Amino acid sequence: MSSNSSAFTKVLKNLLVLTSGRAVQSAVRAAHAGGRSVVLVPTMGALHAGHQALIREGRKRSSEVWVSIFVNPTQFDDPADLNGYPRQFEADCKLAQEAGATGVFAPSLAEVYPDGFVGQFSTLEVNYGRLTSELEGQDRPGHFDGVVQVVRRLFELVEPDVALFGEKDFQQLAVIADLARRENLGVEVVSVPTVRGEEGLALSSRNVRLSQAARKAALLLSAKIKAVARAPQPLAAADIAFAELADHPLIAPAYFAVVESDTFAPYDPENPRPARVLVAAEVDGIRLIDNVALEGVD
Ligand code: PAF
């Protein structure tokens, strides 16, 4: 079964699985009519413990937690990345159900984009200043256009009260919080801390594509952002960390940055404000991102 199959409704051990926007809307409206708020956990599937943490956080807020599973083509700047994106729908439903989700909403492409789109690209262009132009915005042109386009549409289809996003995609979180604020969407955007494996690697759907050697190399990303976050001179430490990553045969870093958490302006040690240390790198051809809070400025 794929998320692009024709509309169906299925109940899987107490988990409702819907593909039609109309069906999810009536489930959500029934919850609202019963006085229950509705939480949405938007995902692209390939669920892991990080997504389950989002669902569990959702359950603390409401008995109605919907997980959307939709691999959104318009946010991929690289067609190979889209084609290789892991898809495991049955396993995802089990993981969602185990974490306490009420339902899975797995819309088709036509449901999300009834007017279609050109090639793989978003028909919407967003400019939220530094939030969309820096770091991921610069390294993945069009990425946030696609993210905003799909999240806006998912909010429109599901009509949640609250939507949960992981801090692992820290810039995405900032962009979506700004979207909700700018467009007054009436959805509370809530962040949930990154879940890490025992050795510190941030959980990501892409990790399943890492070889053993690449996984070992990927551990350097979390180790280095944590070291920079504690460094007395974080900007100099970030430059050194970038150079050290670039020296590794399996790692091609895209950026290693320290920016203000709310504005994404460069961190200014003369005027210290809450800040984030962020890294993006290809590790053996797999693009990974990670971030932590800069210590001592919160
Ligand atoms: O973080 C993700 O998995 C995706 O970017 C999201 C928010 C589900 C939009 O497709």
Side-chain angles (χ1 to χ4, degrees):
M1 179 165 53
S2 89
S3 57
N4 291 340
S5 54
S6 57
F8 63 84
T9 303
K10 204 169 140 165
V11 181
L12 204 96
K13 286 196 210 136
N14 300 329
L15 181 87
L16 201 53
V17 181
L18 304 176
T19 60
S20 131
R22 203 175 282 247
V24 81
Q25 229 164 49
S26 71
V28 165
R29 285 180 186 175
H32 283 155
R36 298 187 300 284
S37 66
V38 172
V39 175
L40 175 65
V41 178
T43 81
M44 296 203 298
L47 301 193
H48 49 65
H51 296 109
Q52 289 190 305
L54 294 173
I55 298 167
R56 292 197 174 103
E57 178 59 37
R59 281 305 305 261
K60 288 187 199 155
R61 293 164 185 266
S62 172
S63 58
E64 291 282 332
V65 179
W66 282 83
V67 178
S68 62
I69 296 182
F70 179 70
V71 182
N72 174 38
T74 71
Q75 71 188 74
F76 285 83
D77 49 316
D78 173 7
D81 192 23
L82 171 62
N83 292 335
Y85 203 82
R87 288 162 171 88
Q88 46 164 60
F89 190 68
E90 296 288 348
D92 284 345
C93 288
K94 287 204 184 83
L95 288 166
Q97 186 259 339
E98 186 185 286
T102 316
V104 162
F105 174 45
S108 65
L109 257 184
E111 185 80 57
V112 176
Y113 298 120
D115 301 327
F117 51 86
V118 183
Q120 182 189 307
F121 303 108
S122 170
T123 48
L124 180 82
E125 273 183 37
V126 289
N127 178 358
Y128 295 175
R130 285 197 168 102
L131 295 190
T132 49
S133 66
E134 297 295 315
L135 307 180
E136 290 297 283
Q138 189 167 31
D139 204 47
R140 304 185 66 190
H143 170 64
F144 287 126
D145 296 336
V147 168
V148 167
Q149 184 183 34
V150 77
V151 169
R152 204 199 216 185
R153 178 69 176 141
L154 289 169
F155 285 1
E156 187 176 80
L157 287 168
V158 179
E159 301 177 348
D161 302 284
V162 177
L164 300 183
F165 296 88
E167 280 182 3
K168 203 208 40 103
D169 294 284
F170 192 79
Q171 195 172 358
Q172 166 175 279
L173 177 62
V175 168
I176 294 169
D178 209 29
L179 160 73
R181 185 189 59 78
R182 280 169 187 257
E183 301 197 10
N184 207 8
L185 297 180
V187 179
E188 186 191 354
V189 174
V190 173
S191 67
V192 175
T194 303
V195 178
R196 298 181 181 279
E198 266 172 34
E199 293 168 299
L201 181 66
L203 297 193
S204 160
S205 302
R206 289 189 168 87
N207 291 354
V208 295
R209 294 165 63 195
L210 295 170
S211 66
Q212 216 176 340
R215 181 172 287 267
K216 194 165 163 226
L219 295 178
L220 286 173
L221 304 188
S222 51
K224 292 212 176 287
I225 50 172
K226 284 179 193 165
V228 168
R230 289 191 299 264
Q233 292 180 10
L235 297 181
D239 288 345
I240 294 169
F242 181 93
E244 286 171 350
L245 290 178
D247 263 353
H248 192 288
L250 288 182
I251 303 179
Y255 58 78
F256 202 121
V258 187
V259 300
E260 292 183 354
S261 309
D262 52 354
T263 62
F264 274 67
Y267 172 68
D268 177 3
E270 303 297 319
N271 179 23
R273 298 189 57 240
R276 216 77 196 174
V277 181
L278 302 103
V279 67
E282 282 206 358
V283 180
D284 205 13
I286 312 296
R287 195 174 189 284
L288 300 178
I289 56 173
D290 200 356
N291 70 88
V292 288
L294 184 68
E295 292 184 13
V297 281
D298 276 331

